């Protein structure tokens, strides 16, 4: 029996499994761009993520950010209207990704177009750019395609257990230490990609 996760975003569209990484950032159903946001609300157990990159902090009183859509050259505004807006937006710095679960754009009173965040649980900030996310995603897919997902990321020795947090595998402390400078900045991003991919399912 598979455990039911609280965030089965990939359930209907992709089939990541133990040892396989198939996540496609360009899948327009799971990660819609400006032109492909679903018309209907998500069904129970389904969700989508709007991936945007923060290009500027334009806060005026409350936290407001100018973001670039996954489709380059298209810009939105994201405004926080949560109870603890400043705290909820603390990780929102230019060059990071602001991912909005089941986001649906609206027009603000001043005519700008974008997303109003009322529930902090619908936003996720990843400390990397869109280009970096694609790079990490591609490299996980390449390792998976080459049958190396279950091996030490530093030397490709098969390893039974991955890190519980981000699934990365190391055969020894020496390899882990050697890879730490590469790994440290992307650990949180890896963790989220594996959750989206459901790599440990069945
Ligand atoms: Zn190793
Ligand atoms: Zn890690």
């Amino acid at each position: 029996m598979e455990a039911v996760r609280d965030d089965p975003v990939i359930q209907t569209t992709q089939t990541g499994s133990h040892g396989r990484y198939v996540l496609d950032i360009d899948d327009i159903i799971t990660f819609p761009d400006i032109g492909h946001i679903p018309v209907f609300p998500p069904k129970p157990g389904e969700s989508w993520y709007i991936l945007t990159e923060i290009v500027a902090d334009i806060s005026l009183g409350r936290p407001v950010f100018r973001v670039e859509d996954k489709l380059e050259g298209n810009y939105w505004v994201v405004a926080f209207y949560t109870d603890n807006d400043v705290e909820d937006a603390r990780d929102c710095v230019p060059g990071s990704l602001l991912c909005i679960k089941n986001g649906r754009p609206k027009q603000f009173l001043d005519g700008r177009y974008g997303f109003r965040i009322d529930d902090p649980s619908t936003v996720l900030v990843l400390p990397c750019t869109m280009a970096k996310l694609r790079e990490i995603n591609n490299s996980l897919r390449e390792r998976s395609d080459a049958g190396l997902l279950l091996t030490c990321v530093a030397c490709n020795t098969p390893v039974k257990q991955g890190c519980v947090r981000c699934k990365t595998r190391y055969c020894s402390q020496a390899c882990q230490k050697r890879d730490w400078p590469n790994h440290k900045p992307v650990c949180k991003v890896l963790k989220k990609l594996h959750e989206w991919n459901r790599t440990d399912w069945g």
Side-chain angles (χ1 to χ4, degrees):
M1 279 289 287
E2 291 177 347
V4 176
R5 296 275 175 91
D6 60 353
D7 189 10
V9 61
I10 309 301
Q11 194 158 14
T12 55
T13 53
Q14 296 180 346
T15 53
S17 66
H18 190 66
R20 279 198 72 210
Y21 183 90
V22 294
L23 188 72
D24 180 6
I25 298 296
D26 291 314
D27 172 47
I28 58 164
I29 306 294
T30 316
F31 301 106
D33 59 48
I34 187 171
H36 296 93
I37 291 168
V39 176
F40 300 105
K43 295 190 192 107
E46 286 183 0
S47 48
W48 66 80
Y49 273 92
I50 310 292
L51 302 180
T52 66
E53 182 174 322
I54 298 171
V55 293
D57 182 342
I58 51 171
S59 300
L60 241 175
R62 68 176 66 254
V64 185
F65 303 93
R66 180 170 153 85
V67 300
E68 184 171 18
D69 190 71
K70 201 176 86 172
L71 258 189
E72 283 172 45
N74 288 300
Y75 295 91
W76 307 95
V77 163
V78 178
F80 281 72
Y81 282 78
T82 57
D83 292 342
N84 301 303
D85 52 6
V86 172
E87 173 67 10
D88 293 334
R90 70 191 180 281
D91 294 332
C92 294
V93 293
S96 55
L97 286 179
L98 188 50
C99 315
I100 307 161
K101 190 177 185 178
N102 299 336
R104 204 177 274 291
K106 57 164 280 181
Q107 191 161 21
F108 291 97
L109 289 175
D110 62 8
R112 288 186 296 187
Y113 207 57
F115 298 91
R116 176 187 158 123
I117 306 301
D118 293 292
D119 175 358
S121 75
T122 61
V123 287
L124 166 76
V125 181
L126 292 178
C128 70
T129 62
M130 192 75 73
K132 185 72 181 170
L133 185 74
R134 279 208 167 85
E135 187 190 311
I136 297 167
N137 184 64
N138 289 344
S139 111
L140 282 170
R141 286 180 67 118
E142 278 166 24
R143 285 187 66 75
S144 176
D145 291 348
L148 296 174
L149 205 62
L150 306 184
T151 69
C152 173
V153 73
C155 75
N156 294 340
T157 303
V159 182
K160 275 210 178 73
Q161 289 279 314
C163 166
V164 283
R165 189 172 135 94
C166 68
K167 312 297 177 208
T168 301
R169 284 163 196 251
Y170 294 104
C171 68
S172 62
Q173 280 193 355
C175 275
Q176 183 162 14
K177 201 170 172 186
R178 184 148 55 91
D179 189 52
W180 183 242
N182 302 324
H183 186 78
K184 191 183 175 205
V186 297
C187 184
K188 188 181 175 187
V189 180
L190 286 165
K191 175 179 183 285
K192 190 43 75 173
L193 285 172
H194 279 292
E195 281 173 25
W196 282 342
N197 179 68
R198 305 188 312 140
T199 305
D200 278 1
W201 285 51

